[in-house]
Amino acid sequence: MFARTPRLLLRPGWIEDAPALARAIGDQGIVRNLTRAPWPYGPDDAQAFLASRAGQSLPHCLIFTRTLGAPRLVGGCGLSADADGAPELGYWIARAYWGLGFATEASRALLQAARAAGITGIGAMHFADNPASGNVLRKLGFRPTGRTGQRHSVARGGMVDCQFFEEGEEARMRPDSAFELYDDAPPLAA
């Protein structure tokens, strides 16, 4: 999947992205909020992750800023199958770009492409001690299910309390605004 938003470019990760990926995500404050990323996170972890995503049916992208020069890797977002096989949204943003709305903007574009591909029933979760992620999910139109549980965090080395979300009816029914701000070209999705 490739997509452009007003500020971002989303595209699949390539093995050549491994050094930039390791630098961007190699922060304990980031990986502690993810289920599968180890700590410490190095170039070999980035290469293994990028290789594992090849051929996956659910979309997963790296997030780059759109600049006049070389784009900068600022995060990642994607869908993966949860324990029951249902699609689940996940995302991360490099610390230098926290608070700029990139997680919301990129995830909105990813969700629009997923819906266009017929992927429905998307859920999400966040660790209970990461309320900022819950705020992103609410902006995307997800709503808390009221269900809590635990998920394993590789970086933390154990089970962590989490809160589960589901797509709200308004998120499924409203026209997605991810690309409404375009004035140069329509988004690309494949």
Side-chain angles (χ1 to χ4, degrees):
M1 181 195 110
F2 292 79
R4 287 188 316 173
T5 71
R7 301 182 297 164
L8 304 171
L9 167 69
L10 283 70
R11 68 160 172 80
W14 301 321
I15 201 70
E16 296 84 4
D17 295 317
L21 175 58
R23 283 190 304 274
I25 198 174
D27 177 329
Q28 190 172 18
I30 296 169
V31 297
R32 72 181 308 277
N33 290 316
L34 304 174
T35 56
R36 296 180 187 104
W39 181 254
Y41 194 99
D44 291 341
D45 299 305
Q47 288 179 348
F49 170 77
L50 293 167
S52 74
R53 295 308 303 177
Q56 295 287 323
S57 61
L58 294 173
H60 198 279
C61 299
L62 293 180
I63 305 166
F64 296 86
T65 56
R66 291 177 63 190
T67 64
L68 296 176
R72 277 170 283 173
L73 177 61
V74 298
C77 64
L79 298 179
S80 58
D82 68 10
D84 297 324
E88 184 174 77
L89 174 66
Y91 47 84
W92 63 272
I93 299 294
R95 186 182 296 268
Y97 303 97
W98 286 1
L100 300 176
F102 287 167
T104 304
E105 186 174 330
S107 295
R108 188 169 283 137
L110 180 94
L111 290 168
Q112 182 179 12
R115 289 183 197 114
I119 300 170
T120 60
I122 300 169
M125 59 69 83
H126 70 85
F127 290 142
D129 61 358
N130 181 17
S133 192
N135 293 338
V136 170
L137 293 172
R138 286 179 185 87
K139 289 178 197 173
L140 292 169
F142 282 77
R143 64 176 181 229
T145 64
R147 189 170 58 96
T148 60
Q150 291 191 324
R151 287 274 179 90
H152 186 263
S153 167
V154 174
R156 296 187 197 198
M159 300 300 282
V160 180
D161 292 336
C162 58
Q163 299 175 344
F164 294 91
F165 285 70
E166 63 187 1
E167 285 185 288
E169 189 65 28
E170 65 281 0
R172 289 190 300 267
M173 300 304 291
R174 71 168 189 239
D176 213 311
S177 61
F179 302 115
E180 290 178 2
L181 300 177
Y182 266 92
D183 59 8
D184 60 344
L188 303 172

